[in-house]
Amino acid sequence: MSIWDFTSAIVRRPADSAIHGLRAGDGPAPSIAGLRAEHEAYVAALKEIGLAVEILPPLEEHPDSMFVEDPALVFPEGAIVLRPGAPTRRDEGALLEPVLRRKFETVLTLDEGSADGGDVLVTRERVYIGRSNRTDEAGARALAGLLAELGREAVIVATPPGTLHLKSDSALIDEEVILATPALAASGTFEGFEVLITPEGEESGANLVRVGDSVLLGAHWPKTADLIAARGLAPVPLPTGEIARLDAGLSCMSLRW
Ligand code: CIR
């Protein structure tokens, strides 16, 4: 079984407050209709691929809670409740915990430092944890300890300056193949992998997500879609213009296992 043979996913509907989610720049805010439409298209794509998707209700008090990948990690062998680094997101882990306990026998909890799931890239051999503005050294080390409890080896790496999360700049597209932005590729983080560089002008397309032999990616990255197709995978282009206004991409809208 490959690491992309997911059967289940958890997502959370965007709250009305999602338009006030965190964003580093001062560009226009997204529209709620746009966020909902992108979320619905994403859920439909996961279902079409065959996943059983549990859709959690919106949380008005938590504008960024539709990005469920940041407060938790899930593996076939168990889940980890994280401590997101942004103060406004800190409680999102605790809110997901009861859901995870229903689905996983083993649920571990990070209780030191901070770590966001967006900074965690899982490969067959090891788990890469990117230090970032959201994931600090204490959180990364404690998380590596929890991953060891699940039998997973972790390595702590640097995320390029100005990048929100490690996976804003990278994705695993095959067992030994990583798609990365030029900045992350140049860091040498993924030595031993074949590293494909994002096509020029499509750096934000690095945040894509493989599910089975399909790859969900932003509809406005045609050269990236060609690159994926050339690897024998099926690109599934999805609208991402509104979530991009919240610095988000496709991996962060679900937990998959
Ligand atoms: C945030 O800044 O936390 C949200 N507006 C976006 C989170 C995106 N998550 C991700 O890339 N894993």
Side-chain angles (χ1 to χ4, degrees), residues 198-214:
T198 47
E200 203 179 337
E202 299 197 3
E203 291 73 16
S204 302
N207 184 283
L208 44 73
V209 55
R210 178 168 171 183
V211 182
D213 287 336
S214 299

Side-chain angles (χ1 to χ4, degrees), residues 21-23 64 67 69-70 89 117-118 134 164-165 168 207 246-249 251-252:
L22 294 172
R23 51 205 177 97
D64 282 302
F67 304 119
E69 186 185 59
D70 292 321
R89 303 200 61 188
R134 300 289 178 86
L164 174 58
H165 286 130
S168 311
N207 184 283
L246 295 174
D247 306 336
S251 73
C252 46

Side-chain angles (χ1 to χ4, degrees), residues 16-32:
D16 290 344
S17 61
I19 54 170
H20 305 300
L22 294 172
R23 51 205 177 97
D26 55 6
S31 75
I32 188 61

Side-chain angles (χ1 to χ4, degrees), residues 10 72 74 79 81 96-104 107 255:
I10 293 173
V74 293
V81 178
L96 265 183
E97 186 170 349
V99 180
L100 298 173
R101 290 209 179 273
R102 261 199 286 118
K103 295 180 180 281
F104 294 90
V107 178
L255 288 167

Side-chain angles (χ1 to χ4, degrees), residues 94-118:
L95 290 160
L96 265 183
E97 186 170 349
V99 180
L100 298 173
R101 290 209 179 273
R102 261 199 286 118
K103 295 180 180 281
F104 294 90
E105 211 163 290
T106 303
V107 178
L108 307 177
T109 303
L110 182 69
D111 54 16
E112 270 176 74
S114 65
D116 278 20

Side-chain angles (χ1 to χ4, degrees), residues 12 20 39 71 118 141 157 212 251:
R12 189 182 291 285
H20 305 300
H39 194 261
R141 281 173 189 262
V157 301
S251 73

